[in-house]
Amino acid sequence: MNVENQDVLLEVEQEGDDEGEEEEDGELVLDEVQQTVFPSYGTALNQQALHTPEWAEFNQNHESLFFNDGQRRIDFVLVYEDESKKENRKRSFNKKQKRKREVYESNLITRGLQLEATRSVLDEKIVFVKVHAPWEVLCTYAEIMHIHLPLQPSDLKTPNSPLSWMTRFFSVDENIIKPEKEFFTAPFENDRLSDFYIQDKSTFFSPATRSRIVYFILCRGEYAVRDNVKKFGINKLLDSGIYKAAFPLHDSRFNHQSQDPSCPNERYMLYKEWAHPRNIFKLQPLHFIRKYYGEKIGIYFAWLGFYTQMLLLAAVVGLGCFLYGYFTKDNCTWSQEVCDPNIGGNIIMCPQCDQECTYWSLSITCESSKKLCIFDSFGTLVFAVFMGVWVTLFLEFWKRRQAELEYEWDTVEFLEQEEQVRPEYEARCHHIVVNEITQKEEHVPYTTCGKCVRLTFCTSAVLFWILLIIASVIGIIVYRLSVFLVFSATLPKHINGTEAIQKYLTPQAATSISASVISFIIIMILNMIYEKIAIMITDFELPRTQTDYENSLTMKMFLFQFVNYYSSCFYIAFFKGKFVGYPGDPVYWLGKYRNEECDPGGCLLELTTQLTIVMGGKAIWNNIQEVLLPWFKNLIGRCCTAARSEMIVPRWEQDYHLQPIGKLGLFYEYLEMVIQFGFVTLFVASFPLAPLLALINNLLEIRVDAWKITTQFRRMIPQKAQDIGAWQPIMQGIAILAVVTNAMIIAFTSDMIPRLVYYWSFSVPPYGDQSSYTMKGYINNTLSVFAISDFRNESKPAFPWFKNQTTCRYRDFRYPPGHKHQYEHNIYYWHVIAAKLSFIIVMEHIIYFVKFVISYAIPDVSHKTKSKIKRQKYLTQVLLHENPLKAMKKNMGSIADKLLKGADGSFRPKYE
């Protein structure tokens, strides 16, 4: 660097010291684009002066996707606020910001990109820099990025599916969105350009591919140096406010077709045939989505669509099980006994809390027992077993579908080393270490000790927030105990037993519904707070690549959401009513609050209520938030510019006023669906309608997400993705856990096992007095007897209803008073425990065995896909390797023949 440039750098460094509160110390702006060799993306050439973009006025063509010359396509748009027109900023700081931007843009031009700057029509302070990548730049970086491009049209025939006649009615009209032509592809090589299928250079690289290449370059453009480490990347410039936005262009308006003949109108067609609500039952044009938005967006909608299709089968079976329970509820013997005035009406139940609660008649739970018959039936058991098999089929068939998409979308050979390091990671690489493999020095952001400190801090922060959730769950439990006491003391005093409202407004129902609503509100509040905390923790952790970043954030967010959403359900299913003791010796929570008891029919109905409120409320809230929030923000933006609405606004400025998609893309959509997947699988034994609700929600979710990214957001930067990432192993873990939870719900939460034990063992001699197997007498047999005189003073009701009663009943299997083992568990209890444990072991082993057989029987890659992959590899070998080798051999042979002929002529004897 010459003396003049050193003086400039020194001056800028001094400015940086003066503005220390706004800029990092020691950062120098690169005033000269030096020659730097980048092993992954080429060489920047020496230049003695900064290059600047071409300036052009808006040509009033608001539909144009090209520079003013009408020839160069706009592949990306950068937006900044003119530093000379900024207000409330120090002049020296603005000057430094401007210098960084100028150096960055000069570097982009040096790398071969072409820039054209145009001032905003609506705000003269805003400048749009349009970026175009010429053919040579596209070819160079396509080879560096290992982008797969067409070799020749595919000659493999696609067999027609036997269900193609049916899917035709749900498919997109092929006259509007034409099927994409299939090609054999290979990683692009500039030296073998003639071997690739190039009919038109302007269309060989799709707009999505062009934007992806340009973004690759933008992420590696340098603008400053600090401690001999170059600072680069558009993301860093966006974070520091030098640029306000960076995005690829939508090709048209979503609701109006462009009249420009060069415009493909793909956004308009996507809205009309995919995002519009009338297409709710249509199949998605996945290849067209991938073509416009890239593989990462395409694989999300492919997964969501496949999951929704598989939910159709689960929803039908679940609805059938629900209807079976609904139509057979009147034949439910134990519910009839509860509702019978001569049986349930004569059974007086013990108080469920101390002093304030009083005795109550079993018959007031008549309506809840009828509802329980719908869900706690034999159909529930069948459905739980079915869902254990269904989730395996879903995951295995998705692997096959994913393998097909990997081939069709050219991500089969998407290697980890193709993914570049995050600019945020490289910007902090101040420590030098020696690579064990290459034995070369490398820059890393932290030492081994520093990495351990970061890991410890991040782990501690995550555990703290999980403990905070558990504390909130404990708070809800305390609320349940306190409010149940109030309801139990209040409702019976003011409601006559003959009034219809008492059938529905029992203390248990009031407590359950109010606690579920409060739990849902707390869940959503903690969720919003933790989202920001998880991002801060992951940023501090500083993952190396974007995939590492997303996987790390995924695990943190899912672990939090798992505890947040499912903890209350786990409490109701497996803890509530399990450790309550008996009226003479109750168990207390925190030494003060008496533990909750379940209804005489168990806690299954309350678990169903909790699932309905949380799952339904979450779906409604998320859809409202996804639709209204971006729409409202865009509405405010349109209102602010309404006064200047008569002005013609170019395509890039229209897109600028849309909402930015955010760094995490569709991360939250994945998270939302995987949490729903947990509700559908983990607790489905208590709520067979869960798959149906999920199906309805997903049909709306697909169109809401499509509408959102097509109409309300700027065009997303196309990104490569081979699969759905860390979400796949998470769903596999949920599938394994679901078998255990559903088996335990049937065994410990529902009353199915006690009823079966009574039917087969205790309804007939030697334990029963019925002449044949029956459910008659079940209620009387399964409610234990307690002597009122055995109440402790602190537990005795203050206002007894039934003064002539000497005993009351409670839900447990214990010997009656007067027995030599009074209030100890009886033989029925031990039979039930043995049956429950046996059921869990048998059900788990059967389902796990079936899951293993299915996983083994269904290959992850279909035979058809394997054939296509082998055919493509063969053609790549022939076209790119063997044919050039044969040509070289042929050329070498002809040269050798000429040399031999020349040698023969030189040594031929001369005859005189």
Side-chain angles (χ1 to χ4, degrees):
M1 186 177 295
N2 56 32
V3 177
E4 180 182 356
N5 285 325
Q6 289 177 353
D7 294 338
V8 174
L9 288 174
L10 180 59
E11 179 184 349
V12 175
E13 185 177 13
Q14 290 171 350
E15 290 176 2
D17 293 335
D18 294 338
E19 305 292 338
E21 70 279 4
E22 300 181 49
E23 287 292 316
E24 301 178 63
D25 293 336
E27 181 179 290
L28 304 179
V29 176
L30 291 172
D31 280 274
E32 180 182 4
V33 183
Q34 303 173 39
Q35 183 176 15
T36 310
V37 179
F38 305 98
S40 61
Y41 45 85
T43 303
L45 301 178
N46 274 319
Q47 298 290 335
Q48 295 301 323
L50 295 179
H51 301 283
T52 58
E54 307 169 14
W55 280 87
E57 295 293 331
F58 173 46
N59 60 7
Q60 302 300 310
N61 184 0
H62 66 281
E63 295 181 343
S64 177
L65 302 175
F66 295 86
F67 282 15
N68 273 13
D69 58 14
Q71 302 296 322
R72 292 173 291 176
R73 183 184 180 89
I74 301 172
D75 299 317
F76 225 89
V77 176
L78 307 178
V79 187
Y80 69 90
E81 185 177 353
D82 192 343
E83 292 83 3
S84 62
K85 299 181 182 297
K86 283 185 178 181
E87 300 176 356
N88 300 325
R89 283 284 193 175
K90 294 182 179 180
R91 183 177 179 183
S92 58
F93 176 74
N94 290 339
K95 180 181 177 182
K96 190 172 183 181
Q97 295 285 79
K98 179 180 180 181
R99 199 61 175 166
K100 288 182 181 179
R101 178 181 55 76
E102 289 176 342
V103 170
Y104 178 74
E105 292 174 357
S106 180
N107 265 311
L108 297 182
I109 295 173
T110 303
R111 293 180 184 279
L113 296 180
Q114 297 175 1
L115 309 183
E116 183 180 81
T118 302
R119 286 199 178 274
S120 168
V121 173
L122 301 176
D123 186 355
E124 63 176 8
K125 293 186 294 184
I126 301 298
V127 177
F128 295 91
V129 180
K130 296 161 283 183
V131 184
H132 168 76
W135 170 259
E136 295 76 13
V137 173
L138 294 172
C139 291
T140 300
Y141 282 89
E143 183 173 1
I144 292 169
M145 297 170 66
H146 307 284
I147 294 178
H148 283 242
L149 291 168
L151 281 174
Q152 69 176 41
S154 174
D155 56 4
L156 294 177
K157 296 182 179 180
T158 303
N160 291 326
S161 170
L163 299 177
S164 59
W165 63 272
M166 186 171 62
T167 57
R168 190 183 306 116
F169 297 103
F170 301 98
S171 300
V172 176
D173 188 353
E174 294 184 357
N175 294 322
I176 299 176
I177 298 181
K178 296 180 180 179
E180 190 173 355
K181 192 174 182 180
E182 292 190 12
F183 289 90
F184 292 118
T185 62
F188 185 77
E189 295 181 38
N190 224 343
D191 295 337
R192 296 191 170 99
L193 191 62
S194 59
D195 293 323
F196 286 87
Y197 190 79
I198 304 176
Q199 290 187 317
D200 185 354
K201 287 186 177 181
S202 62
T203 59
F204 180 64
F205 293 98
S206 67
T209 303
R210 297 176 67 99
S211 298
R212 183 178 156 215
I213 292 174
V214 171
Y215 182 68
F216 181 90
I217 302 172
L218 293 177
C219 287
R220 283 149 185 84
E222 312 91 345
Y223 63 88
V225 63
R226 181 171 182 259
D227 298 333
N228 294 322
V229 177
K230 289 184 175 60
K231 303 190 72 174
F232 52 85
I234 185 62
N235 292 325
K236 187 69 176 176
L237 293 172
L238 288 169
D239 292 339
S240 62
I242 295 176
Y243 284 103
K244 298 176 69 68
F247 53 89
L249 282 182
H250 282 297
D251 65 354
S252 65
R253 297 183 65 182
F254 72 89
N255 54 355
H256 289 94
Q257 195 166 1
S258 174
Q259 301 303 315
D260 190 338
S262 61
C263 176
N265 288 296
E266 292 178 348
R267 183 191 186 195
Y268 170 78
M269 287 189 286
L270 279 172
Y271 173 74
K272 183 179 178 183
E273 299 297 325
W274 176 49
H276 198 281
R278 68 166 176 266
N279 302 312
I280 190 169
F281 296 112
K282 279 190 177 182
L283 297 175
Q284 301 181 84
L286 293 176
H287 293 287
F288 201 65
I289 298 169
R290 173 251 180 174
K291 178 183 177 184
Y292 191 76
Y293 287 112
E295 288 79 9
K296 198 164 190 176
I297 303 299
I299 198 73
Y300 164 74
F301 282 103
W303 172 78
L304 181 56
F306 186 83
Y307 170 47
T308 304
Q309 291 174 15
M310 290 294 291
L311 276 176
L312 180 61
L313 176 61
V316 170
V317 178
L319 181 61
C321 292
F322 172 81
L323 293 176
Y324 169 81
Y326 180 80
F327 288 116
T328 60
K329 72 178 187 299
D330 295 332
N331 301 325
C332 188
T333 306
W334 59 272
S335 176
Q336 292 173 353
E337 292 184 349
V338 171
C339 298
D340 191 338
N342 297 321
I343 301 176
N346 292 328
I347 294 178
I348 306 304
M349 302 296 294
C350 297
Q352 292 186 325
C353 64
D354 295 339
Q355 294 185 345
E356 293 297 328
C357 298
T358 185
Y359 305 98
W360 51 285
S361 173
L362 180 64
S363 60
I364 70 171
T365 62
C366 175
E367 290 301 320
S368 63
S369 68
K370 289 180 180 179
K371 296 174 186 175
L372 191 60
C373 287
I374 299 174
F375 299 102
D376 195 1
S377 65
F378 179 73
T380 302
L381 173 60
V382 174
F383 189 55
V385 174
F386 167 80
M387 287 301 292
V389 177
W390 173 88
V391 70
T392 305
L393 291 173
F394 163 64
L395 293 175
E396 293 302 317
F397 281 120
W398 166 246
K399 289 179 185 176
R400 288 169 64 92
R401 177 59 176 151
Q402 190 170 255
E404 293 176 5
L405 294 176
E406 285 177 14
Y407 166 75
E408 294 172 3
W409 294 354
D410 301 318
T411 60
V412 175
E413 298 177 356
F414 179 60
L415 304 176
E416 185 178 352
Q417 55 264 32
E418 293 179 28
E419 187 172 15
Q420 302 299 319
V421 176
R422 293 173 67 236
E424 293 85 353
Y425 179 91
E426 286 187 305
R428 296 181 178 271
C429 289
H430 308 313
H431 300 279
I432 299 176
V433 297
V434 177
N435 189 301
E436 295 179 355
I437 299 174
T438 62
Q439 294 298 311
K440 294 181 180 179
E441 290 186 348
E442 291 182 351
H443 287 84
V444 294
Y446 37 65
T447 61
T448 304
C449 181
K451 186 174 182 180
C452 292
V453 171
R454 287 172 181 266
L455 187 61
T456 303
F457 174 81
C458 294
T459 305
S460 302
V462 172
L463 289 177
F464 169 78
W465 279 91
I466 291 176
L467 291 175
L468 185 63
I469 300 172
I470 296 175
S472 71
V473 174
I474 294 174
I476 292 293
I477 295 172
V478 172
Y479 167 84
R480 286 174 177 272
L481 301 175
S482 304
V483 170
F484 178 75
L485 188 147
V486 174
F487 284 148
S488 299
T490 306
L491 293 180
K493 296 179 181 179
H494 300 286
I495 300 176
N496 192 321
T498 59
E499 293 183 11
I501 192 173
Q502 189 174 2
K503 297 179 181 179
Y504 305 98
L505 193 60
T506 63
Q508 293 91 342
T511 303
S512 175
I513 294 173
S514 62
S516 297
V517 172
I518 293 174
S519 176
F520 171 71
I521 294 172
I522 293 176
I523 284 171
M524 299 310 296
I525 292 174
L526 288 177
N527 183 35
M528 289 188 290
I529 296 174
Y530 185 75
E531 283 180 6
K532 296 179 174 57
I533 299 297
I535 293 174
M536 290 172 59
I537 294 172
T538 310
D539 288 341
F540 178 77
E541 189 179 316
L542 208 62
R544 185 173 183 271
T545 65
Q546 184 64 23
T547 299
D548 293 338
Y549 182 91
E550 292 179 1
N551 289 344
S552 178
L553 182 62
T554 295
M555 296 307 298
K556 291 182 182 65
M557 285 295 293
F558 178 76
L559 184 61
F560 174 85
Q561 299 276 22
F562 184 90
V563 179
N564 194 22
Y565 280 107
Y566 302 145
S567 55
S568 58
C569 295
F570 273 100
Y571 164 73
I572 294 172
F574 305 125
F575 296 98
K576 183 182 177 182
K578 305 299 185 295
F579 312 100
V580 295
Y582 64 96
D585 187 21
V587 176
Y588 290 88
W589 180 264
L590 302 177
K592 180 179 179 181
Y593 299 99
R594 182 170 166 176
N595 273 2
E596 284 186 283
E597 296 184 33
C598 295
D599 282 338
C603 286
L604 191 70
L605 189 60
E606 186 173 346
L607 178 59
T608 303
T609 303
Q610 177 76 11
L611 282 171
T612 304
I613 292 176
V614 174
M615 185 178 175
K618 176 179 176 295
I620 294 171
W621 171 257
N622 286 336
N623 282 319
I624 290 176
Q625 192 178 32
E626 289 179 8
V627 173
L628 293 183
L629 193 59
W631 177 81
F632 186 69
K633 288 181 179 179
N634 287 332
L635 180 63
I636 293 176
R638 287 195 296 270
C639 291
C640 293
T641 58
R644 292 166 288 182
S645 59
E646 69 279 358
M647 305 177 71
I648 299 176
V649 181
R651 170 83 268 139
W652 49 86
E653 192 156 358
Q654 295 175 34
D655 284 8
Y656 171 66
H657 290 292
L658 296 176
Q659 295 302 306
I661 196 63
K663 293 182 179 180
L664 297 178
L666 294 175
F667 170 82
Y668 294 109
E669 276 67 24
Y670 270 118
L671 181 63
E672 177 188 350
M673 288 296 102
V674 172
I675 292 295
Q676 182 208 85
F677 178 77
F679 280 120
V680 168
T681 55
L682 290 173
F683 306 102
V684 75
S686 66
F687 191 36
L689 290 180
L692 179 62
L693 293 182
L695 175 65
I696 296 171
N697 175 76
N698 288 6
L699 289 173
L700 296 174
E701 182 73 21
I702 291 174
R703 306 305 159 181
V704 166
D705 287 345
W707 174 85
K708 180 176 63 177
I709 68 170
T710 305
T711 67
Q712 302 300 308
F713 285 88
R714 298 170 189 160
R715 187 171 182 176
M716 302 178 75
I717 299 169
Q719 294 180 348
K720 202 82 167 175
Q722 189 175 23
D723 49 37
I724 60 175
W727 302 110
Q728 181 82 19
I730 286 176
M731 288 193 296
Q732 291 172 341
I734 291 176
I736 294 172
L737 181 61
V739 177
V740 180
T741 56
N742 284 302
M744 293 182 67
I745 286 173
I746 294 173
F748 292 106
T749 310
S750 79
D751 254 13
M752 183 174 296
I753 301 301
R755 290 199 300 269
L756 290 175
V757 170
Y758 175 81
Y759 181 85
W760 292 107
S761 298
F762 285 82
S763 63
V764 294
Y767 301 110
D769 53 5
Q770 302 291 336
S771 57
S772 60
Y773 298 110
T774 180
M775 285 300 296
K776 290 182 179 180
Y778 170 74
I779 291 297
N780 187 64
N781 193 272
T782 54
L783 293 177
S784 299
V785 180
F786 180 76
I788 293 176
S789 59
D790 292 335
F791 269 121
R792 295 186 299 184
N793 290 332
E794 59 269 21
S795 301
K796 188 176 295 185
F799 306 99
W801 265 10
F802 306 95
K803 297 180 180 180
N804 297 327
Q805 292 288 332
T806 58
T807 61
C808 61
R809 310 295 289 271
Y810 61 98
R811 176 185 166 83
D812 208 342
F813 305 109
R814 295 177 183 268
Y815 288 112
H819 193 279
K820 63 178 181 180
H821 299 295
Q822 68 173 2
Y823 303 137
E824 294 181 6
H825 288 119
N826 57 24
I827 192 170
Y828 191 177
Y829 172 83
W830 299 111
H831 275 72
V832 169
I833 289 295
K836 288 181 176 181
L837 295 177
S838 301
F839 171 80
I840 291 175
I841 293 172
V842 171
M843 180 177 173
E844 285 181 2
H845 280 68
I846 290 175
I847 295 181
Y848 282 139
F849 175 75
V850 174
K851 288 167 71 73
F852 172 77
V853 171
I854 292 174
S855 301
Y856 180 79
I858 302 176
D860 292 348
V861 184
S862 66
H863 176 74
K864 179 180 70 174
T865 304
K866 286 181 180 178
S867 298
K868 290 181 177 180
I869 293 174
K870 290 178 181 178
R871 173 67 175 163
Q872 178 167 292
K873 287 183 177 179
Y874 169 76
L875 280 175
T876 303
Q877 183 74 19
V878 170
L879 292 176
L880 299 185
H881 300 287
E882 293 184 5
N883 285 351
L885 187 60
K886 289 179 181 178
M888 185 177 67
K889 287 181 178 179
K890 185 177 180 181
N891 291 335
M892 291 294 293
S894 61
I895 293 172
D897 290 341
K898 292 179 180 179
L899 290 174
L900 289 174
K901 289 180 180 179
D904 291 342
S906 301
F907 294 100
R908 185 175 299 151
K910 295 182 180 180
Y911 297 97
E912 295 181 356

